[in-house]
């Protein structure tokens, strides 16, 4: 193990030719060199003066220079790929001294800065477990969906919705508990409502994707009780340096064609950014046996095709104290919805359109109290139509405004931190025959305090956040539902639902009001209509400590108590949700002894997560590792409970062979099982392990494992819990050639809820080879990759479509990347 030598800074004061006209402050220069432990200069290492937000890179000799630096104390942040980050204090004085070398220690685990938090931290320095996918690894693992892109990260799996709409699952949690953001602002789609709704974000144009595992409510609010996925790009550029990249790729398993680019440039103080992508694919092939009538044919997952494209334009104004900029993005995607067809041959596809505006900025102060202010503002107009037979059946829309302002103060008694102000408002609307959730408006106001301080080898991180969340829905419907079990001989219409007998005055929350109304709907169905006005006050608290044992090891502990207000779909749903192949009924309703749905008498409580994380890391040397263990007790955990009843869906849906594992369910093709949202205490615990070994300069081995057990406190497993995984990655580089091999084993999942079926384990083998071709100012790379090389049939336990949509079969991709 290499020992990091004592670091020093060379500062030289260049005598100015004259005093400035309006100031007597001398122009000064801060410079030095960066090498590895063997004394070899490190080119392209990044050096940052943290307080000034000034960044530069080292040249071929490892040298860097900052000019016009005022006298004072500064902290330098120095990092390079493959090396541990270095934070070193420096004092700029009026006495010249020789340049002294900075030495970086090798790190087998890549250390990357995180943009999701207002205060600086990296994946190896935070009390909260963080993973970052960036650079070559991001390009190698990027997929058409966000969930599939991230699923090789420890603690993260995908719900795999037929290769078209997969979303990430973090430690067994997903949906409304995992927030997906772009540059720290909510992506503002409807992907958290159902698994068949795609995430409106594109990985191929991203700089990096960050995953905060465990509650991240301190920075993002109650919607992040399970974690955060933050997609980072350069749409608001902070540099005028001309750089960019492009990718052209084709795949065999679905005939996918992909083209993507991004470029940053500028002149004087104005910076400009542009990106764009285009993807087109057909239904994908699976390893399943072909039909008996066509033994030479290939089995495909019907309606799993897509066509998507988008572009982003951004500009910013850079000045000495910071920057301010604006960007606009247009995102369009058409994709099939597997397992969702009406009348047998009429396929349903989703037509997604989104326009997003973002205003980002930063200002660094020179006064004695405030250090900087960071602000993010966004407006998103999202629409998603489900089209069948050439006409729109159901439309979902989400209009969102968001503002985040973070005021950071200068160190006070050793404490660094600040206050965060956050507002978000969204207007979600659904209309059509499958609009299972009524239109609703949500508003959130929040204030948060974050502070950290070093006490010798201990880093203490504290935080608190208070929110006010309101949920308004003016037209919530309680229809007459002919729900029955399959033992009732299906005597439809036998029960007359007399709702007058159940005119309950609903006691929910301190500020709930219900304006009840009874009427006939289209002359055939008896419906009650009323208004809902909910108000919640979630409070979140967090405390963490990182203890640096020595230069190579640290250990951390993080404690948090996070509260979440239930989402509109969890409370107000009442209708068929074909994406989950269920008839969903929200927690606002209850099932009476007569098997009729009435307004619930149970108060609507906040979901509360009490989470503890333990982390042990080895940060330097040829061998590095990160081990996380977590325990999360969630009180009032909202989930869907099986009622044993079935209801008419209104369509003859193609559900495949099974639905939720119910035998004989295909005899009732126009019926869906009824699931009722309820709450109970739940416990989730598990671990993540990542080990990296740089065996030689050319060969690197990685190993990872993760496991989560999710159960109700009173007994019984939570549905669709991620199975245990173990995996290894081997990377070999030689001159201009790089080869990668990934082997991942998913264990059998037999710890299941009552309405699930077991899922067999499987092993995936992926490989790629890349050849770099220097071409002047452009670095060109040609690559060939293969996925599921053994062509194994693999069904994803967390998927609602596991019985009809296994993972793709053997796939080869050929592509060209260019960097300039």
């Amino acid at each position: 193990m290499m020992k990091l030598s004592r670091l020093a800074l060379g500062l030289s004061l260049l005598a100015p030719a004259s005093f400035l006209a309006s100031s007597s402050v001398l122009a000064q220069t801060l410079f030095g060199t960066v090498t590895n432990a063997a004394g070899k200069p490190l080119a392209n290492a990044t050096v940052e003066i943290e307080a000034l937000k000034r960044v530069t890179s080292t040249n071929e000799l490892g040298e860097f220079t900052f000019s016009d630096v005022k006298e004072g104390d500064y902290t330098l942040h120095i990092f390079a790929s493959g090396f541990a980050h270095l934070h070193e204090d420096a004092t700029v004085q009026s006495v010249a001294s020789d340049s002294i070398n900075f030495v970086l220690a090798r790190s087998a685990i890549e250390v990357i800065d995180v943009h999701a938090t207002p205060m600086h931290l990296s994946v190896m320095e935070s009390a909260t477990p963080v993973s970052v996918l960036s650079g070559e690894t991001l390009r190698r693992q990027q997929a058409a969906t966000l969930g599939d892109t991230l699923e090789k990260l420890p603690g993260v799996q995908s719900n795999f919705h037929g290769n078209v709409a997969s979303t990430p699952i973090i430690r067994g949690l997903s949906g409304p508990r995992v927030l997906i953001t772009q540059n720290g602002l909510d992506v503002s789609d409807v992907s958290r409502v159902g698994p068949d709704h795609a995430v409106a974000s594109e990985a191929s144009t991203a700089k990096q994707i960050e995953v905060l595992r465990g509650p991240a409510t301190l920075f993002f609010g109650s919607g992040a009780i399970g974690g955060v996925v933050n997609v980072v790009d350069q749409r608001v550029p902070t540099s005028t340096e001309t750089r960019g990249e492009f990718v052209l790729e084709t795949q065999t398993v679905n005939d996918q064609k992909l083209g993507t680019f991004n470029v940053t440039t500028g002149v004087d103080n104005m910076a400009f950014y542009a990106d764009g992508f285009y993807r087109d694919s057909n239904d994908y092939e699976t390893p399943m046996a072909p039909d008996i009538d066509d033994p030479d044919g290939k089995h495909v997952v019907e309606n799993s095709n897509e066509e998507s494209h988008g572009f982003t334009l951004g500009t910013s104004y850079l000045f000495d104290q910071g920057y301010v900029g604006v960007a606009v993005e247009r995102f369009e995607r058409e994709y099939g919805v597997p397992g969702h067809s009406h009348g047998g041959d009429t396929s349903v596809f989703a037509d997604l359109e989104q326009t997003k505006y973002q205003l980002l900025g930063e200002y660094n102060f020179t006064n004695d109290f405030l250090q900087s202010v960071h602000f993010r503002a966004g407006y998103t107009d999202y629409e998603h139509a489900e089209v069948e037979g050439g006409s729109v059946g159901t439309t979902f829309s989400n209009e969102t405004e968001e503002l985040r302002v973070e005021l950071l103060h200068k160190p006070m008694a050793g404490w660094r931190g600040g206050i965060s102000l956050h507002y978000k408002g969204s207007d979600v609307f659904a209309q059509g025959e499958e609009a299972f959730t009524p239109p609703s408006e949500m508003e959130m106001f929040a204030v948060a305090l974050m502070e950290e301080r070093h006490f010798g080898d201990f880093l203490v991180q504290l935080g608190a956040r208070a929110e006010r969340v309101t949920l308004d829905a003016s037209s919530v419907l309680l229809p007459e539902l002919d729900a029955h079990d399959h033992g009732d001989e299906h005597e439809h219409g036998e029960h007359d639902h007399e709702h007058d007998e159940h005119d309950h005055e609903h006691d929910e929350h301190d500020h709930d009001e219900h304006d009840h109304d009874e009427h006939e709907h289209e002359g055939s169905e008896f419906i009650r209509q009323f208004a809902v006005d909910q108000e919640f006050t979630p409070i979140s608290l967090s405390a963490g400590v990182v203890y640096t044992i020595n230069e190579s090891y640290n250990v951390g502990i993080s404690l948090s108590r996070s509260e979440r207000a239930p989402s509109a779909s969890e409370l107000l749903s009442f209708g068929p949700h074909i994406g989950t192949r269920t008839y969903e009924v929200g927690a606002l309703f209850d099932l009476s002894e007569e098997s009729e749905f009435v307004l619930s008498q149970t108060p609507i409580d906040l979901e509360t997560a009490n989470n503890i994380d333990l982390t042990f890391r080895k940060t330097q040397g040829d061998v590095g590792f990160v081990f996380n263990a977590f325990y999360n007790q969630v009180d009032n955990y909202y989930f869907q409970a099986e009622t044993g009843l079935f209801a008419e869906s209104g369509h003859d849906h193609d559900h495949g062979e099974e639905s939720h594992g119910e035998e004989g369910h295909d005899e009732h093709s126009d019926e869906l099982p009824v699931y009722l949202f309820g709450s109970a205490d739940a416990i989730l615990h598990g671990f993540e392990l990542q080990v990296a070994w740089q065996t030689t300069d050319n060969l690197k081995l990685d190993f990872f494992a993760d496991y989560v057990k999710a159960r109700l406190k009173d007994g019984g497993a939570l549905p669709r819990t991620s199975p245990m995984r173990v995996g290894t990655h081997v990377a070999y580089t030689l001159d201009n050639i790089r080869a990668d091999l990934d082997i991942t084993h998913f264990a059998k999942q037999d710890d299941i809820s009552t309405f699930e079926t077991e899922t067999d384990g499987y092993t995936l083998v992926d490989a790629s080879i890349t050849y770099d071709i220097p071409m002047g100012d452009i670095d060109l790379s040609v690559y060939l990759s293969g996925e599921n090389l053994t062509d194994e049939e693999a069904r994803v336990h967390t998927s609602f479509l596991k019985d009809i949509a296994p993972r793709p079969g053997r796939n080869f991709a050929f592509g060209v990347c260019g960097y300039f």
Side-chain angles (χ1 to χ4, degrees):
M1 180 180 66
M2 300 181 185
K3 184 177 180 181
L4 184 62
S5 62
R6 179 72 176 172
L7 304 178
L9 173 67
L11 300 175
S12 175
L13 304 179
L14 302 181
S18 63
F19 286 102
L20 297 177
S22 61
S23 174
S24 61
V25 178
L26 298 176
Q28 301 165 346
T29 299
L30 183 156
F31 68 92
T33 59
V34 180
T35 68
N36 62 16
K40 181 180 178 180
L42 294 180
N44 296 318
T46 300
V47 182
E48 177 186 12
I49 304 177
E50 291 184 349
L52 303 179
K53 302 297 182 182
R54 293 182 58 182
V55 180
T56 190
S57 299
T58 57
N59 60 20
E60 293 80 2
L61 301 177
E63 299 170 340
F64 69 89
T65 301
F66 290 100
S67 59
D68 297 326
V69 180
K70 296 181 180 180
E71 294 183 16
D73 296 326
Y74 300 95
T75 298
L76 297 184
H77 177 207
I78 306 173
F79 57 97
S81 178
F83 293 86
H85 286 214
L86 173 66
H87 297 273
E88 188 74 4
D89 293 333
T91 301
V92 177
Q93 302 176 355
S94 57
V95 178
S97 61
D98 296 332
S99 173
I100 302 178
N101 187 38
F102 285 88
V103 180
L104 297 187
R106 174 181 282 186
S107 176
I109 294 181
E110 189 172 10
V111 183
I112 304 172
D113 276 347
V114 179
H115 294 257
T117 58
M119 293 182 294
H120 168 265
L121 61 86
S122 74
V123 296
M124 303 297 275
E125 299 170 319
S126 171
T128 302
V130 184
S131 295
V132 178
L133 195 62
S134 67
E136 175 65 28
T137 306
L138 173 58
R139 293 295 169 254
R140 184 165 50 86
Q141 297 183 10
Q142 72 185 27
T145 66
L146 188 61
D148 298 343
T149 297
L150 298 174
E151 69 167 344
K152 289 183 180 179
L153 291 176
V156 183
Q157 296 198 32
S158 168
N159 69 358
F160 189 77
H161 201 80
N163 221 36
V164 294
S166 307
T167 55
I169 299 172
I170 301 178
R171 292 179 168 180
L173 298 177
S174 61
R177 297 177 181 89
V178 173
L179 181 63
I180 300 174
T181 64
Q182 190 136 23
N183 300 315
L185 296 172
D186 195 335
V187 72
S188 301
D189 51 28
V190 293
S191 61
R192 305 171 85 192
V193 175
D196 56 328
H197 300 157
V199 178
S201 184
E202 177 61 29
S204 67
T205 57
K207 174 186 176 183
Q208 65 185 48
I209 304 176
E210 305 162 348
V211 178
L212 280 66
R213 301 193 295 275
T217 56
L218 183 64
F219 302 112
F220 295 95
S222 59
I225 200 170
V228 168
V229 175
N230 185 40
V231 181
V232 181
D233 57 32
Q234 298 296 306
R235 64 180 57 197
V236 175
T238 57
S239 171
T240 58
E241 178 185 0
T242 298
R243 62 181 182 274
E245 62 178 302
F246 64 86
V247 178
L248 297 173
E249 181 183 280
T250 182
Q251 296 186 12
T252 60
V253 76
N254 56 359
D255 297 322
Q256 177 178 281
K257 306 294 187 295
L258 171 67
T260 178
F261 80 94
N262 66 76
V263 61
T264 302
T265 189
V267 56
D268 297 329
N269 288 44
M270 297 298 299
F272 304 96
Y273 173 85
D275 71 36
F277 77 97
Y278 176 82
R279 179 185 291 106
D280 180 73
S281 64
N282 297 325
D283 295 342
Y284 71 87
E285 300 171 5
T286 76
M288 296 171 62
D291 295 333
I292 297 177
D293 296 336
D294 185 15
D296 297 325
K298 296 181 180 180
H299 191 283
V300 299
V301 173
E302 299 290 343
N303 213 24
S304 61
N305 58 314
E306 73 149 306
E307 181 180 357
S308 56
H309 58 273
F311 69 89
T312 306
L313 298 175
T315 184
S316 59
Y317 176 72
L318 312 180
F319 49 93
D320 291 342
Q321 288 77 31
Y323 71 94
V324 61
V326 64
V328 59
E329 175 193 17
R330 179 65 176 176
F331 183 96
E332 297 184 14
R333 191 171 191 222
E334 290 186 2
Y335 62 95
V337 184
H340 187 171
S341 62
H342 299 166
D345 297 329
T346 305
S347 297
V348 176
F349 70 91
D351 186 0
L352 186 161
E353 298 181 355
Q354 184 184 71
T355 303
K356 182 189 297 290
Y357 303 89
Q358 288 192 346
L359 173 67
L360 309 179
E362 177 181 316
Y363 188 88
N364 297 286
F365 295 93
T366 58
N367 60 36
D368 295 331
F369 179 71
L370 285 178
Q371 175 174 298
S372 61
V373 58
H374 307 253
F375 59 89
R376 300 180 178 95
Y379 171 79
T380 303
D381 186 7
Y382 172 95
E383 185 173 286
H384 161 190
E386 293 189 355
V387 182
E388 49 187 292
S391 60
V392 175
T394 307
T395 300
F396 300 87
S397 65
N398 185 359
E399 189 174 346
T400 302
E401 308 91 25
E402 186 172 9
L403 174 66
R404 289 180 60 184
V405 179
E406 290 144 359
L407 297 166
L408 303 183
H409 62 75
K410 290 188 176 179
M412 300 174 58
W415 289 94
R416 297 175 58 249
I419 189 171
S420 173
L421 305 174
H422 192 186
Y423 166 79
K424 180 163 57 178
S426 63
D427 187 354
V428 179
F429 178 81
Q431 184 178 27
E433 55 196 9
E434 292 175 14
F436 57 94
T437 301
S440 61
E441 296 181 5
M442 186 278 297
E443 272 196 330
M444 182 271 294
F445 296 90
V447 58
L449 179 67
M450 302 152 287
E451 296 290 338
E452 68 176 24
R453 181 181 175 182
H454 284 275
F455 294 89
D457 294 327
F458 291 87
L459 172 62
V460 178
Q461 298 173 330
L462 303 175
R465 180 184 176 103
E467 297 184 21
R468 177 182 175 272
V469 180
T470 60
L471 177 64
D472 298 328
S474 61
S475 183
V476 178
L477 303 180
L478 175 54
E480 177 183 359
L481 181 63
D482 184 16
H484 52 271
D485 63 46
H486 282 165
D488 292 338
E489 297 182 354
H490 308 244
E491 296 181 5
H492 300 267
E494 182 178 335
H495 303 289
D496 292 327
H497 297 180
E498 298 180 2
H499 291 284
D500 288 342
E501 299 179 3
H502 303 281
D503 189 11
H504 298 297
E505 185 134 339
H506 188 46
D507 179 19
E508 295 176 352
H509 207 267
D510 292 342
H511 300 278
D512 296 349
E513 294 182 3
H514 299 275
D515 182 16
H516 300 281
D517 181 30
E518 301 177 358
H519 62 282
E520 295 289 332
H521 182 62
E522 297 182 358
S524 60
E525 190 176 83
F526 190 79
I527 293 181
R528 297 183 64 204
Q529 179 176 324
F530 54 95
V532 171
D533 182 4
Q534 296 269 347
E535 182 177 324
F536 303 94
T537 309
I539 304 293
S540 298
L541 303 171
S542 177
V545 178
V546 180
Y547 171 56
T548 302
I549 302 172
N550 55 37
E551 293 175 341
S552 297
Y553 295 89
N554 68 46
V555 61
I557 181 172
S558 175
L559 303 172
S560 64
R561 177 179 174 85
S562 307
E563 295 181 327
R564 180 181 77 91
S567 67
S569 60
E570 291 172 314
L571 282 183
L572 311 177
S573 293
F574 206 115
H577 187 180
I578 306 306
T580 61
R581 292 143 63 205
T582 61
Y583 197 103
E584 292 189 3
V585 180
L588 200 65
F589 310 101
D590 204 352
L591 190 62
S592 70
E593 294 181 356
E594 294 80 15
S595 296
E596 300 175 2
F597 284 99
V598 297
L599 289 174
S600 174
Q601 295 296 293
T602 304
I604 302 300
D605 293 321
L606 290 169
E607 186 176 275
T608 304
N610 301 281
N611 187 81
I612 180 171
D613 262 290
L614 298 174
T615 303
F616 182 42
R617 308 181 184 100
K618 185 177 185 293
T619 62
Q620 297 183 16
D622 292 332
V623 177
F625 63 79
V626 178
F627 175 76
N628 301 308
F630 66 92
Y631 182 90
N632 191 5
Q633 178 176 317
V634 186
D635 299 333
N636 302 314
Y637 180 91
Y638 285 88
F639 69 102
Q640 290 177 298
E642 184 184 29
T643 65
L645 302 177
F646 292 83
E648 298 291 333
S649 67
H651 288 288
D652 183 15
H653 293 277
D654 178 15
H655 297 295
E657 296 177 0
E658 298 181 22
S659 180
H660 288 274
E662 297 286 348
E663 295 182 1
H665 190 244
D666 53 357
E667 297 178 6
H668 311 275
S669 60
D670 196 30
E671 294 180 349
L672 296 173
V674 179
Y675 283 81
L676 176 64
F677 275 99
S679 64
D681 295 345
I683 296 175
L684 301 94
H685 59 88
F687 70 87
E688 298 114 15
L689 174 65
Q690 180 184 4
V691 181
W693 179 23
Q694 190 74 49
T695 58
T696 68
D697 289 339
N698 304 104
L699 181 63
K700 183 180 179 182
L701 306 177
D702 291 278
F703 168 83
F704 84 93
D706 57 20
Y707 168 78
V708 59
K709 183 176 179 62
R711 57 186 173 87
L712 295 175
K713 191 174 182 179
D714 294 334
L718 290 177
R720 288 175 293 279
T721 299
S722 307
M724 182 177 179
R725 295 183 303 174
V726 294
T728 185
H729 171 241
V730 181
Y732 181 77
T733 58
L734 180 63
D735 297 329
N736 293 346
I737 298 178
R738 175 187 171 103
D740 295 272
L741 173 67
D742 289 278
I743 302 175
T744 307
H745 175 71
F746 292 75
K748 177 181 180 179
Q749 182 57 285
D750 54 9
D751 189 9
I752 58 176
S753 63
T754 55
F755 60 85
E756 289 185 287
T757 57
E758 297 181 356
T759 305
D760 293 334
Y762 53 92
T763 301
L764 299 179
V765 180
D766 305 330
S768 66
I769 185 168
T770 304
Y771 182 69
D772 296 330
I773 308 173
M775 300 181 62
D777 294 333
I778 299 179
D779 294 326
L780 199 65
S781 298
V782 180
Y783 62 90
L784 175 67
S785 65
E787 297 176 326
N788 193 8
L789 292 176
T790 59
D791 204 32
E792 182 164 0
E793 183 177 320
R795 298 187 182 274
V796 181
H797 182 75
T798 55
S799 173
F800 282 90
L801 300 180
K802 74 169 187 175
D803 296 317
I804 63 174
R807 289 180 181 270
R810 184 183 295 112
N811 177 39
F812 293 99
F814 175 77
V816 179
C817 294
Y819 304 89
F820 56 90

